[in-house]
């Protein structure tokens, strides 16, 4: 009964004041929660008073009960209001702290770029894929058979020497393995493993022992091969002319085919395009000079036979071109050596945006 005796309006008003002051003084949500527990928690001051209601006389309870309930509800509402005010303040503080000043200059970060060799390879693949060629691959380390013998380089033939071959210590079939001197062994691999009709394009690394402004010991080629029953030299010329126009992105590139010799094609031809030099710039497609850009020819019957294809039934053409050289021509680079030096300034200047994949629909470069 003693509990009930002290409950009167005055003491409730005092309690209300005290609680509101504590709520108002809470600096953060944690402090506010402590205040809430101290007054409204199970053992909080208000809750203890509520428990005391049971011991009051009915009259007293009738008077104090509603007041106490009101006090409790009002304090709970005050805690909630304070809580959301504190949350708003915390959010404002965080927003102020995490503010990004969009007017600040962009911090310079190292930028990646697609190397011109990769770019040109992608361009070549896009052009030939559009003509129905499928991409093929072969390893950099090749057997003597795939790199030479199957391609109709007779053993001991001087043509093997013109390639300045890197020979390895490892051997296969009694011959040293080689770093492939051209991508033509991919022709052999394809014909041995697939039935005609064949239409492949094979980009990759190639190696020759050579080093000056226009030759590096590692360089890149793209090989093309078409085999079926009726393909002839006219198809070769049409296909390569179309390629040149697409690659240099100019109509009416003047090109010519000049007789040449490769052991694996007969007849063989090198393709030249017209160009002129204006100051530092090389202009393709016009002018009074000819520049050789690729080797080509009708696949030699011996090569077909070596790969298990009957030359009386099938024929076709092949071509091979130097990717680095094409990149130099198209994008106006004079020296091949920086292609293979880790110079980020060179790459920043000559490199390509990674997100722009070359395609005939959108544009090659
Ligand atoms: N493999 C030849 C070279 O590297 C290029 C070539 C390929 C020529 C296919 C004719 C046919 O020079």
């Amino acid at each position: 009964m003693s509990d009930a005796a002290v409950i009167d309006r005055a003491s409730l008003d005092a309690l209300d004041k005290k609680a509101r002051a504590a709520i108002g003084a809470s600096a953060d949500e944690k402090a506010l929660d402590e205040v809430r527990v101290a007054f409204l928690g199970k053992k909080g001051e208000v809750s203890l008073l509520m428990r005391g209601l049971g011991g009051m006389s009915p009259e007293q309870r009738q008077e104090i009960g509603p007041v106490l309930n009101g006090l409790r509800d009002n304090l709970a509402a005050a805690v909630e209001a304070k809580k959301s005010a504190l949350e708003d303040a915390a959010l404002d503080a965080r927003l102020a702290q995490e503010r990004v000043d969009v007017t600040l200059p962009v911090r310079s970060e190292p930028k990646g770029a697609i190397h011109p060799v990769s770019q040109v390879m992608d361009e070549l693949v896009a052009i030939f894929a559009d003509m129905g060629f499928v991409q093929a691959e072969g390893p950099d380390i090749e057997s003597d058979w795939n790199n030479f013998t199957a391609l109709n380089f007779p053993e001991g033939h001087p043509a093997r020497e013109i390639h300045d071959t890197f020979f390895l210590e490892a051997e296969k079939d009694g011959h040293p393995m080689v770093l492939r001197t051209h991508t033509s062994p991919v022709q052999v691999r394809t014909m041995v493993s697939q039935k005609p009709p064949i239409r492949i394009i094979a980009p990759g690394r190639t190696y020759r022992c050579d080093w000056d402004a226009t030759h590096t010991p590692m360089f890149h080629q793209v090989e093309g091969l078409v085999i079926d029953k009726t393909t002839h030299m006219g198809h070769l010329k049409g296909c390569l002319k179309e390629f040149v126009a697409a690659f240099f992105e100019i109509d009416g590139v003047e090109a010519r085919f000049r007789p040449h010799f490769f052991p694996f094609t007969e007849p063989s031809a090198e393709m030249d395009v017209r160009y002129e030099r204006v100051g530092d710039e090389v202009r393709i497609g016009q002018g009074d000079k000819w520049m050789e850009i690729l080797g080509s020819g009708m696949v030699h019957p011996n090569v077909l036979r070596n790969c298990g294809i009957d030359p009386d039934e099938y024929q076709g053409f092949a071509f091979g071109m130097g990717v680095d050289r094409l990149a130099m021509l198209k994008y106006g680079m004079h020296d091949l050596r920086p292609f293979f030096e880790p110079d980020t300034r060179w790459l920043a200047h000559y490199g390509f945006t990674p997100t722009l994949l070359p395609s005939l629909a959108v544009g090659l470069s």
Side-chain angles (χ1 to χ4, degrees):
M1 279 293 174
S2 60
D3 269 346
V6 299
I7 303 179
D8 53 35
R9 281 178 178 268
S11 64
L12 286 182
D13 280 350
L15 179 60
D16 186 58
K17 260 208 188 119
K18 189 169 93 174
R20 284 180 188 276
I23 292 169
S26 303
D28 56 29
E29 289 187 50
K30 187 165 167 282
L32 178 65
D33 202 53
E34 279 162 14
V35 171
R36 183 188 61 78
V37 171
F39 288 95
L40 302 170
K42 251 196 219 156
K43 291 180 186 158
E45 284 187 51
V46 177
S47 311
L48 289 179
L49 289 183
M50 307 276 302
R51 240 182 269 169
L53 283 177
M56 291 180 189
S57 66
E59 300 78 41
Q60 224 181 352
R61 196 176 325 146
Q62 223 165 25
E63 191 204 334
I64 296 301
V67 180
L68 199 50
N69 274 334
L71 172 81
R72 184 197 55 195
D73 293 349
N74 289 340
L75 286 182
V79 167
E80 275 314 304
K82 178 72 179 177
K83 192 171 168 215
S84 74
L86 283 174
E87 279 170 358
D88 285 353
L91 183 63
D92 283 347
R94 224 179 83 197
L95 287 176
Q97 200 187 24
E98 293 177 0
R99 184 184 58 210
V100 175
D101 184 350
V102 292
T103 63
L104 283 176
V106 178
R107 209 181 300 147
S108 81
E109 281 173 6
K111 265 199 237 121
I114 298 294
H115 195 284
V117 167
S118 302
Q119 171 75 15
V120 167
M121 281 198 183
D122 289 347
E123 292 178 19
L124 294 174
V125 169
I127 293 168
F128 284 101
D130 200 59
M131 298 190 216
F133 285 70
V134 174
Q135 192 171 338
E137 281 186 334
D140 293 10
I141 296 175
E142 268 294 7
S143 63
D144 181 88
W145 168 265
N146 282 340
N147 196 78
F148 291 123
T149 311
L151 288 165
N152 200 34
F153 288 79
E155 282 185 39
H157 192 280
R160 290 185 184 223
E161 255 108 85
I162 58 173
H163 278 193
D164 298 311
T165 313
F166 286 110
F167 293 97
L168 305 182
E169 274 179 18
E171 291 194 351
K172 187 164 184 209
D173 305 324
H175 294 279
M177 303 280 282
V178 300
L179 291 180
R180 65 177 177 189
T181 58
H182 50 180
T183 40
S184 300
V186 183
Q187 288 188 38
V188 176
R189 289 176 170 273
T190 307
M191 286 189 275
V192 164
S193 63
Q194 291 175 29
K195 295 234 165 312
I198 289 170
R199 209 183 283 183
I200 56 132
I201 185 91
R205 294 193 186 92
T206 47
Y207 305 83
R208 292 181 200 178
C209 187
D210 218 345
W211 179 246
D212 61 35
T214 53
H215 296 88
T216 49
M218 191 277 286
F219 57 107
H220 301 83
Q221 287 192 339
V222 164
E223 191 83 7
L225 175 70
V226 175
I227 303 286
D228 61 27
K229 293 187 173 168
T230 56
T231 299
H232 53 68
M233 194 82 185
H235 296 130
L236 179 159
K237 291 175 79 170
C239 172
L240 292 177
K241 276 186 170 166
E242 189 162 322
F243 149 70
V244 165
F247 179 72
F248 289 108
E249 297 172 81
I250 22 177
D251 292 331
V253 179
E254 220 188 311
R256 75 176 180 194
F257 289 82
R258 188 169 30 75
H260 195 72
F261 171 78
F262 298 106
F264 36 92
T265 45
E266 181 59 35
S268 305
E270 282 191 328
M271 185 183 190
D272 303 334
V273 290
R274 246 191 217 290
Y275 79 100
E276 67 184 341
R277 220 176 266 280
V278 184
D280 245 8
E281 194 194 339
V282 174
R283 288 197 191 146
I284 299 291
Q286 56 193 51
D288 52 3
K289 296 203 183 73
W290 293 101
M291 166 114 50
E292 177 247 313
I293 59 158
L294 58 83
S296 65
M298 300 305 294
V299 179
H300 197 292
N302 287 349
V303 176
L304 294 172
R305 223 172 275 123
N306 288 338
C307 298
I309 292 177
D310 180 0
D312 291 328
E313 198 181 345
Y314 289 105
Q315 57 189 26
F317 66 83
F319 56 87
M321 52 190 125
V323 175
D324 318 81
R325 230 175 109 79
L326 285 174
M328 288 173 80
L329 271 182
K330 181 167 176 182
Y331 296 114
M333 296 166 267
H334 304 287
D335 193 338
L336 184 58
R337 286 167 294 196
F339 275 57
F340 307 109
E341 285 163 5
D343 184 345
T344 50
R345 287 165 311 170
W346 184 88
L347 191 59
H349 183 75
Y350 287 110
F352 292 83
T353 315
T355 44
L356 296 176
L357 288 181
S359 89
L360 289 184
V362 181
L364 286 177
S365 55

